[in-house]
Amino acid sequence: VHRGGRGQRAAADLLPPWAGCAGAALDLPALPPTASREGFVRDAAWDAAAARLRDELCAWLRALAAGDAAETLLSAHHLHLVAACLDDDSLLAALGSGLPFQTNAGPLPLGDIARAGQEHVRYASTATAFAQLAPLAGARGALVVDASHTHEPELLRAWARLDGRRRLEALGAGSLDDFVSPAPEHAARFRAVLSAANALLAPVEVAVRLGRFSPADVPALLVADATR
């Protein structure tokens, strides 16, 4: 982005912070340079130019989203577009359903995730929570979204606000009860093991409990409470 070769970095600041997926050559004689001529005066004209550029970029992205280039655009500039959607509700409405997320069923666009869960979307905001709970949820046929990357939890919340039918559920340590069933019939059999394990792990504040869950190839779970 430049204006007559002057203030290249300053002129780039006219674009929104999320506009890493776009570039421009600008000729803006109405913007007065600073005394050093390395930048531009941040005045009303600057604000108006920045706002106009933001609006034009959003309109351009909405037009691309409505055409054949949408899938390529979302694939190539996912992170930039997530940030852009957080900055503009109309862009979120146009692009949100096509944004891909990783899930315990593989990568899926947000619209398909909502349809699979009948508008009820479960998500984990940390990679640890996703790794722990996604296999358990999958064994019960429940879809879980990995929202551990930059801006993803905020995007899900903003997307849900656009439609009152959409419900979000953040999964964490407290969600374990949704996927683990009590197994009181085995309490006597494992009493000695549980007693020894609790004694061993008490110094690190880990409590051991007996439960039944799937898949069978997961023998044990360590769930950390991020609030402590």
Side-chain angles (χ1 to χ4, degrees), residues 5-209:
R6 211 168 41 210
Q8 182 171 346
R9 177 59 199 166
D13 290 341
L14 279 164
L15 297 176
W18 47 260
C21 59
L26 305 176
D27 183 14
L28 299 172
L31 297 187
T34 58
S36 67
R37 308 189 74 78
E38 294 179 354
F40 298 93
V41 176
R42 304 294 181 97
D43 56 8
W46 170 281
D47 292 339
R52 177 64 182 273
L53 285 169
R54 175 192 172 280
D55 292 344
E56 291 292 337
L57 273 172
C58 287
W60 175 65
L61 289 171
R62 287 194 299 272
L64 287 178
D68 296 336
E71 186 173 345
T72 301
L73 178 70
L74 291 167
S75 175
H77 300 293
H78 176 260
L79 186 59
H80 294 123
L81 293 174
V82 167
C85 286
L86 283 172
D87 190 39
D88 186 270
D89 280 351
S90 66
L91 197 56
L92 177 57
L95 286 172
S97 292
L99 287 170
F101 279 78
Q102 189 59 242
T103 76
N104 57 342
L108 290 171
L110 190 50
D112 288 355
I113 291 169
R115 283 189 288 273
Q118 295 181 331
E119 304 293 348
H120 179 194
V121 176
R122 295 181 175 90
Y123 72 95
S125 58
T126 68
T128 299
F130 181 76
Q132 290 172 338
L133 296 173
L136 307 188
R140 295 199 171 196
L143 193 67
V144 176
V145 176
D146 178 3
S148 62
H149 302 95
T150 305
H151 300 314
E152 288 182 339
E154 297 91 336
L155 179 81
L156 286 175
R157 290 191 288 269
W159 178 78
R161 286 195 296 269
L162 291 181
D163 188 330
R165 297 171 299 174
R166 296 168 182 160
R167 295 190 300 117
L168 297 180
E169 180 184 352
L171 301 182
S175 305
L176 192 62
D177 289 340
D178 295 341
F179 308 112
V180 177
S181 303
E185 69 276 17
H186 295 296
R189 177 184 174 191
F190 290 99
R191 184 174 293 116
V193 174
L194 290 173
S195 177
N198 274 309
L200 179 66
L201 296 173
V204 291
E205 299 184 332
V206 174
V208 183
R209 61 185 257 201

